[in-house]
Amino acid sequence: AQTVTQSQPEMSVQEAETVTLSCTYDTSENNYYLFWYKQPPSRQMILVIRQEAYKQQNATENRFSVNFQKAAKSFSLKISDSQLGDTAMYFCAFMKHAWGGSEKLVFGKGTKLTVNP
Amino acid sequence: GAGVSQTPSNKVTEKGKYVELRCDPISGHTALYWYRQSLGQGPEFLIYFQGTGAADDSGLPNDRFFAVRPEGSVSTLKIQRTERGDSAVYLCASSLTPTARFATQYFGPGTRLTVL
């Protein structure tokens, strides 16, 4: 079974600064996907960024980028130029590739990020 | 287009009662997932539908939980004889197809269930 570990329950950062959220995972699979989801107080889970395990290049989406280290099974999220609207719970999630089958997400426990003005 | 919608937004019930939670996926999405998120935890998988059939129900905690998707669109999660431990946010997600290329799941706002 796959597991996802987020070792930082809470983090804070000043507006406009950079913060990195950590995530490690455990799997014996070779083909899989990794995700970062954001969950503000409204409860809506919003996809921030995704990474295919077969791609060596780290994914980026505007101010968000990841550092994917496949051998180390590490998948950290870097948020640059932090904004007040980035305040939320952030969840790292793993999905194994299953041809035509269930691709359920396995989530970590989350990191609560607070951006201070 | 419209996202995933879930009703009700909040549900308060008494121990032992029956509840139904509804999910409307994004139009055209064939895959539908239910997750449960307890306080301070990440979501945990409950059940997955591909079309009308439950392709993977390995996450359902016991036989009090049941879900249907009769026409391959709207899904209903049903909980019998509710217990206080069932209190959680129930999240629904849909994806275009379970194949690799469109693996991204889009979530609804959830239903917060409180069992008194």
Side-chain angles (χ1 to χ4, degrees):
Chain A
Q2 290 78 27
T3 59
V4 176
T5 301
Q6 293 180 249
S7 59
Q8 305 151 316
E10 293 191 38
M11 291 194 72
S12 63
V13 64
Q14 291 299 122
E15 196 175 5
E17 294 189 346
T18 295
V19 64
T20 299
L21 308 183
S22 301
C23 172
T24 59
Y25 58 95
D26 188 24
T27 185
S28 58
E29 302 288 333
N30 192 47
N31 295 321
Y32 53 88
Y33 302 86
L34 295 163
F35 302 83
W36 279 98
Y37 278 90
K38 167 185 175 181
Q39 188 178 43
S42 66
R43 297 199 307 250
Q44 183 101 37
M45 296 282 278
I46 302 165
L47 178 66
V48 175
I49 198 165
R50 59 174 270 174
Q51 174 81 40
E52 290 90 342
Y54 62 85
K55 289 187 177 179
Q56 291 186 343
Q57 186 174 6
N58 289 324
T60 62
E61 287 287 342
N62 301 314
R63 299 183 294 108
F64 300 89
S65 62
V66 298
N67 183 3
F68 174 47
Q69 302 289 329
K70 190 173 184 179
K73 296 179 182 175
S74 171
F75 183 62
S76 62
L77 174 70
K78 185 171 82 170
I79 306 174
S80 303
D81 185 25
S82 297
Q83 300 176 0
L84 297 177
D86 295 334
T87 293
M89 285 291 292
Y90 286 81
F91 291 96
C92 178
F94 172 99
M95 175 195 291
K96 73 175 184 179
H97 177 61
W99 293 103
S102 170
E103 294 182 341
K104 60 190 175 188
L105 289 163
V106 177
F107 287 88
K109 290 189 174 183
T111 295
K112 182 179 180 181
L113 177 67
T114 302
V115 180
N116 299 309
Chain B
V4 178
S5 62
Q6 293 186 246
T7 55
S9 176
N10 292 281
K11 175 72 177 178
V12 180
T13 190
E14 294 180 342
K15 180 176 179 295
K17 298 290 187 182
Y18 167 84
V19 297
E20 290 189 350
L21 311 179
R22 176 188 168 104
C23 172
D24 271 289
I26 293 171
S27 178
H29 280 196
T30 60
L32 186 146
Y33 302 79
W34 284 98
Y35 295 85
R36 178 167 73 172
Q37 185 175 20
S38 300
L39 191 63
Q41 303 293 317
E44 293 180 314
F45 170 77
L46 293 176
I47 187 169
Y48 153 68
F49 287 89
Q50 174 52 29
T52 60
D56 181 357
D57 64 358
S58 62
L60 294 178
N62 52 58
D63 61 6
R64 295 187 297 104
F65 288 75
F66 189 72
V68 296
R69 195 187 185 197
E71 298 178 356
S73 178
V74 170
S75 176
T76 304
L77 178 65
K78 308 181 180 193
I79 310 174
Q80 298 177 324
R81 305 183 302 281
T82 52
E83 300 177 357
R84 292 192 180 88
D86 298 334
S87 296
V89 174
Y90 290 81
L91 296 169
C92 176
S94 69
S95 66
L96 186 59
T97 166
T99 59
R101 189 176 175 189
F102 301 102
T104 299
Q105 294 179 23
Y106 297 90
F107 283 80
T111 294
R112 182 181 297 281
L113 176 66
T114 303
V115 182
L116 301 177

